[in-house]
């Protein structure tokens, strides 16, 4: 079916999406100008840097696309847009660099929890996401919304605590680097500035889709500080979102509430290192980056099969069968990894490789299985 020009995806379940021309969209949802989608997300200017799209200084109006096969990339982006768009509801939590969960601030926790001596670690979250369908002008907009904790199932009474707008592509882009896969998986590098506009680090966001359930995903975000003097990267903390696809894009107007299939997870047991340490065989997709350039959006392309060795001492173990790591190699390079293990012994992993001067070299996403000991 030929799609109308300047279209976006409003629904991605079932697999045949509902496509509407922009002239038919509700005016409060988006605004289309100069061949780019602009989200009308109402960002709070008092939120930290990168919360508002207006903070962008990393991309020009035209995103530079690195693709040897534009037709293939266009098809992949269309599939990616279909799988990533919609309402993603769930729970989110912060962890220290060692994987210890961090309690929510006392001032946001209802008095009843304190009376019962219940410690609260998780935010209920929403992540309304909308992607353009055309790879010629790729745009992805989403919001990380934290809801104030409530006693019992009070979804209708939920109050938003914060809204963090994220924009990939277009004139409002605040991304440094973005790599995507048709499944809906992606890796994003978000620069972080201090109040004086000085770049001190970045957020490395690994979004991994369950290969057996495209309506289930995790996002593991590594907050990394750059020590420019020593040319080193330091993991400051970790944020984790466990999310379910709840329905087509509605800009967060409707909550999944008690229908959410997951529950708070931060204080549950972390996985065992023995489950992921050792030798793994991977079917890998790769995007390579020129260390001298920024602002690139690339497709992750299949790059064969390889083996990898994972040391238990390098792992930061998290709940929900998740882990991550930041490891400096002998030649001075740094690998940042995140992974999700499934019950049948397979895993989905994401890895970013940085040069000795902290420049991004490569992003990869892999499907992994334990390698045979004699393999």
């Amino acid at each position: 079916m030929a799609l109308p020009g300047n279209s976006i995806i409003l629904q991605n379940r079932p697999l045949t999406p509902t496509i509407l021309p922009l002239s038919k969209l509700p005016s409060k949802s988006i605004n289309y100008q100069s061949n780019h989608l602009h989200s009308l997300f109402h960002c709070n200017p008092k939120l930290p840097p990168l919360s508002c799209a207006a903070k962008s200084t990393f991309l020009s109006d035209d995103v530079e696309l690195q693709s040897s096969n534009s037709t293939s990339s266009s098809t992949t982006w269309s599939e990616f847009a279909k799988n990533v768009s919609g309402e993603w509801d769930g729970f989110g939590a912060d962890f220290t660099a060692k994987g210890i969960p961090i309690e929510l601030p006392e001032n946001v926790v209802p008095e009843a929890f304190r009376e019962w001596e219940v410690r609260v670690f998780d935010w209920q979250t929403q992540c309304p996401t909308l992607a353009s369908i055309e790879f010629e002008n790729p745009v992805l907009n989403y919001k990380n919304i934290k809801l104030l904790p409530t006693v019992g199932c009070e979804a209708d009474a939920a109050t938003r605590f914060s809204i963090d707008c994220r924009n990939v592509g277009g004139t409002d882009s605040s991304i440094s680097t973005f790599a995507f896969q048709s499944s809906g998986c992606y890796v994003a590098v978000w620069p972080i500035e201090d109040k004086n506009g000085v770049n001190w680090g970045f957020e490395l966001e690994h979004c991994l889709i369950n290969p057996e359930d495209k309506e289930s995903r995790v996002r593991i975000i590594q907050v990394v500080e750059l020590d420019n003097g020593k040319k080193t990267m330091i993991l400051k903390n970790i944020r984790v979102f466990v999310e379910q696809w709840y329905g087509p894009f509605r800009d967060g107007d409707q909550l999944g509430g008690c229908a959410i299939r997951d529950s708070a997870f931060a204080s549950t047991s972390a996985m065992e290192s023995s489950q992921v340490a050792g030798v793994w065989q991977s079917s890998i997709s790769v995007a390579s980056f020129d260390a001298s350039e920024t602002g690139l959006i690339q497709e992750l392309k299949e790059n064969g099969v390889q083996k990898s060795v994972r040391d238990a001492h390098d792992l930061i173990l998290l709940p929900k069968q998740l882990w991550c790591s930041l490891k400096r190699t002998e030649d001075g390079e740094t690998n940042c990894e995140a992974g999700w293990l499934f019950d049948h012994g397979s895993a989905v992993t994401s890895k970013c490789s940085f040069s000795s001067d902290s420049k991004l070299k490569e992003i990869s996403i892999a499907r992994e299985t334990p390698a045979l000991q004699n393999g």
Side-chain angles (χ1 to χ4, degrees):
M1 177 185 70
L3 300 178
N6 300 337
S7 300
I8 64 169
I9 290 182
L10 292 184
Q11 181 173 333
N12 64 337
R13 304 297 189 282
L15 290 179
T16 303
T18 299
I19 308 294
L20 295 178
L22 292 179
S23 60
K24 300 296 185 181
L25 294 176
S27 59
K28 72 174 183 178
S29 297
I30 62 167
N31 182 25
Y32 190 85
Q33 297 176 353
S34 305
N35 295 323
H36 290 290
L37 289 174
H38 296 274
S39 170
L40 293 186
F41 294 158
H42 301 291
C43 299
N44 184 345
K46 295 183 180 180
L47 291 177
L50 292 183
S51 294
C52 295
K55 295 293 184 181
S56 170
T57 57
F58 298 98
L59 279 183
S60 63
D61 288 1
D62 295 320
V63 179
E64 182 177 357
L65 304 176
Q66 302 292 313
S67 174
S68 60
N69 188 325
S70 59
T71 301
S72 173
S73 293
S74 179
T75 301
T76 303
W77 176 268
S78 178
E79 287 295 311
F80 166 76
K82 180 170 61 178
N83 287 321
V84 79
S85 294
E87 299 289 319
W88 294 89
D89 288 5
F91 292 88
D94 293 330
F95 297 82
T96 68
K98 294 183 178 180
I100 300 171
I102 300 172
E103 285 191 69
L104 267 57
E106 185 174 314
N107 65 318
V108 306
V109 177
E111 180 66 28
F113 285 116
R114 295 194 292 272
E115 291 177 355
W116 301 332
E117 297 184 351
V118 175
R119 303 172 69 188
V120 182
F121 296 89
D122 302 76
W123 298 95
Q124 186 175 342
T125 61
Q126 295 175 279
C127 187
T129 303
L130 187 63
S132 64
I133 195 171
E134 296 178 348
F135 186 61
E136 289 73 14
N137 293 297
V139 178
L140 170 67
N141 293 329
Y142 64 93
K143 291 186 288 189
N144 291 317
I145 302 172
K146 292 180 179 179
L147 305 174
L148 288 171
T150 57
V151 178
C153 186
E154 302 174 5
D156 293 338
T159 302
R160 293 180 176 184
F161 172 74
S162 66
I163 303 175
D164 180 8
C165 306
R166 297 294 170 120
N167 300 276
V168 177
T171 56
D172 292 333
S173 183
S174 50
I175 197 73
S176 173
T177 309
F178 188 83
F180 65 94
Q181 197 175 50
S182 61
S183 63
C185 292
Y186 66 81
V187 179
V189 183
W190 303 96
I192 305 176
E193 296 179 351
D194 62 20
K195 62 182 180 180
N196 297 317
V198 177
N199 189 323
W200 63 265
F202 58 86
E203 293 181 1
L204 185 55
E205 180 179 3
H206 310 262
C207 178
L208 303 175
I209 296 283
N210 185 335
E212 297 182 353
D213 179 6
K214 291 186 177 181
E215 296 185 358
S216 176
R217 76 179 189 183
V218 298
R219 289 186 294 135
I220 302 170
I221 300 173
Q222 296 171 296
V223 181
V224 178
E225 180 181 356
L226 297 175
D227 185 333
N228 292 322
K230 298 180 180 179
K231 298 294 183 182
T232 57
M233 299 166 58
I234 303 168
L235 182 64
K236 302 298 292 184
N237 62 280
I238 304 160
R239 288 200 298 276
V240 176
F241 295 91
V242 177
E243 299 167 321
Q244 300 286 337
W245 189 88
Y246 179 65
F249 177 78
R250 296 188 183 93
D251 200 12
D253 284 347
Q254 184 176 350
L255 274 173
C258 294
I260 295 176
R261 290 165 282 173
D262 260 312
S263 58
F265 65 88
S267 60
T268 62
S269 299
M271 69 180 306
E272 298 290 334
S273 61
S274 59
Q275 295 178 279
V276 291
V279 183
W280 291 74
Q281 183 167 291
S282 310
S283 174
I284 190 169
S285 297
V286 174
S288 299
F289 295 85
D290 186 328
S292 65
E293 298 175 347
T294 58
L296 302 181
I297 297 178
Q298 284 201 37
E299 175 191 351
L300 289 153
K301 297 186 176 181
E302 292 184 9
N303 194 36
V305 177
Q306 68 178 30
K307 287 187 178 181
S308 59
V309 180
R310 198 167 283 116
D311 192 326
H313 297 292
D314 298 325
L315 301 175
I316 302 166
L317 303 170
L318 301 165
K320 305 295 288 188
Q321 299 289 87
L322 306 175
W323 80 91
C324 69
S325 64
L326 188 152
K327 180 181 179 181
R328 190 174 177 87
T329 64
E330 293 182 356
D331 57 5
E333 296 189 353
T334 302
N335 293 323
C336 298
E337 184 183 67
W340 187 7
L341 181 70
F342 301 102
D343 291 337
H344 46 73
S346 66
V348 177
T349 62
S350 167
K351 184 170 73 174
C352 296
S353 299
F354 294 84
S355 64
S356 57
D357 58 352
S358 302
K359 302 297 183 181
L360 180 64
K361 295 177 59 179
E362 183 178 277
I363 293 176
S364 62
I365 289 181
R367 290 282 304 276
E368 300 193 9
T369 55
L372 297 177
Q373 293 184 354
N374 61 349

